[in-house]
Amino acid sequence: MSILETKNLTRLFGTFTAVDGLDITIERGEIFALLGPNGAGKSTVIKMLTTLLPPTSGDAFINGFSIKTQTNEIRKIIGYVPQMISADGSLTGYENLSLFAKLYDIPRNQRKERIKEAINFMGLADSAYKLVKEYSGGMIRRLEIAQSTLHRPPILFLDEPTTGLDPIGRNTVWEHISALQKQYSTTIVMTTHLMEEADGICNRVALMARGKLSAIGTPEGLKASIGKEGATLEDVFIHYTADNLGESGSNFRNVSIERKTTGRLG
Ligand SMILES: Nc1ncnc2c1ncn2[C@@H]1O[C@H](COP(=O)(O)OP(=O)(O)OP(=O)(O)O)[C@@H](O)[C@H]1O
């Protein structure tokens, strides 16, 4: 069953079209990534889905709520980790979480328990009472994920969650994102530049180029779709996002549909 559906989602800045008629559906419990070159429109999509930016036209529905007309309902059921650091370095991890527990209106008698669970779940028990400015980049990201999931949202948006992290930091963030999906069935929607990340943890990915969807499917399905032996997701990225979109976006490929059809046809 789908948790998120965009319908002709479009955003203009002046006369420039940053997101152009996006139609995607995300299933409950999926880890889904938006991929694409710089300026493809990924962050603009995330900003619209998290109600920070209104669409120029079209709409999107999360749990059936419209991002245009039901922003308050949407804000209660989503978590969002932006690209920019959102934790306060001059506070401890615990204090940051405490602040978010209040912001999310978690009942006072449940706050301590909820914060403790989040700290343990994100592997931050040893550093909960240290100032965040002493944290590594990976620890800060895990704290931010803990902050934005304290209210147990069914869907979490992450904009470039591992940019700037070293390989160890990246790995622990990936592990914790996967654990969130497994333990709480949280749907994860993220943007990333790292093909390795998308390939390793995503159930499906969408490739965007110049504001348009150019392909969508499982990493395996997309690799199989480009007709190159031993193709990597990097090859897929180049294939679908290199300067090959026709005016009508005619290269758009829905690989999952295509592959299902192929399966039926034997
Ligand atoms: N507030 C804004 N005003 C004008 N143009 C904008 C604004 N925000 C984004 N854009 C433009 O819209 C396009 C899409 O930007 P967006 O940040 O969504 O891309 P992106 O795919 O997330 O890129 P990156 O990977 O570099 O973060 C870019 O050309 C960008 O310059």
Side-chain angles (χ1 to χ4, degrees):
M1 200 181 131
S2 68
I3 186 165
L4 188 156
E5 198 173 359
T6 70
K7 294 212 161 141
N8 198 28
L9 190 65
T10 301
R11 174 70 203 200
L12 272 65
F13 292 110
T15 55
F16 174 74
T17 307
V19 176
D20 195 355
L22 195 69
D23 287 307
I24 51 173
T25 300
I26 298 179
E27 304 303 324
R28 220 164 271 278
E30 272 194 304
I31 300 187
F32 188 95
L34 284 173
L35 310 176
N38 291 333
K42 308 177 295 291
S43 296
T44 306
V45 171
I46 297 283
K47 284 185 192 136
M48 286 192 280
L49 296 177
T50 51
T51 74
L52 296 174
L53 193 70
T56 310
S57 59
D59 203 347
F61 299 88
I62 302 179
N63 259 359
F65 296 122
S66 157
I67 59 162
K68 264 176 135 162
T69 58
Q70 293 171 293
T71 49
N72 287 339
E73 285 86 347
I74 300 253
R75 285 171 196 161
K76 286 187 193 134
I77 59 160
I78 63 167
Y80 173 48
V81 181
Q83 257 182 51
M84 304 295 282
I85 289 181
S86 57
D88 187 335
S90 65
L91 301 178
T92 65
Y94 191 96
E95 287 165 341
N96 268 285
L97 285 162
S98 212
L99 206 65
F100 272 76
K102 286 176 199 155
L103 280 176
Y104 285 132
D105 240 353
I106 292 168
R108 189 184 284 270
N109 61 358
Q110 291 176 26
R111 278 183 209 156
K112 261 193 185 157
E113 199 49 42
R114 203 63 84 79
I115 292 172
K116 210 172 121 199
E117 185 185 331
I119 285 171
N120 288 332
F121 191 73
M122 285 294 153
L124 294 168
D126 292 342
S127 33
Y129 298 101
K130 283 189 187 150
L131 291 180
V132 169
K133 63 182 167 203
E134 291 166 22
Y135 281 24
S136 68
M139 286 161 70
I140 294 177
R141 269 300 185 228
R142 281 185 278 137
L143 175 66
E144 290 174 317
I145 295 172
Q147 286 174 177
S148 50
T149 51
L150 271 181
H151 57 311
R152 305 221 173 107
I155 185 162
L156 173 66
F157 294 93
L158 301 146
D159 202 353
E160 305 264 354
T162 54
T163 297
L165 300 185
D166 62 29
I168 294 170
R170 274 205 301 269
N171 274 327
T172 55
V173 169
W174 292 347
E175 278 166 22
H176 285 85
I177 290 174
S178 291
L180 262 182
Q181 180 212 32
K182 287 198 183 81
Q183 183 146 336
Y184 297 102
S185 306
T186 312
T187 306
I188 312 277
V189 181
M190 63 179 185
T191 68
T192 181
H193 278 118
L194 294 172
M195 295 304 120
E196 188 195 347
E197 176 166 82
D199 204 358
I201 69 168
C202 291
N203 303 107
R204 283 191 311 142
V205 301
L207 287 118
M208 287 183 70
R210 293 196 216 146
K212 287 186 172 156
L213 184 65
S214 51
I216 186 167
T218 63
E220 289 316 312
L222 286 165
K223 283 185 239 171
S225 74
I226 64 170
K228 180 182 170 190
E229 196 148 327
T232 63
L233 208 54
E234 197 95 36
D235 297 321
V236 171
F237 183 89
I238 293 164
H239 181 89
Y240 286 113
T241 65
D243 232 358
N244 62 355
L245 267 183
E247 281 299 302
S248 61
S250 56
N251 280 347
F252 167 73
R253 303 281 287 267
N254 185 331
V255 172
S256 56
I257 290 172
E258 214 163 76
R259 287 180 65 77
K260 268 186 213 143
T261 312
T262 313
R264 275 200 298 274
L265 295 175

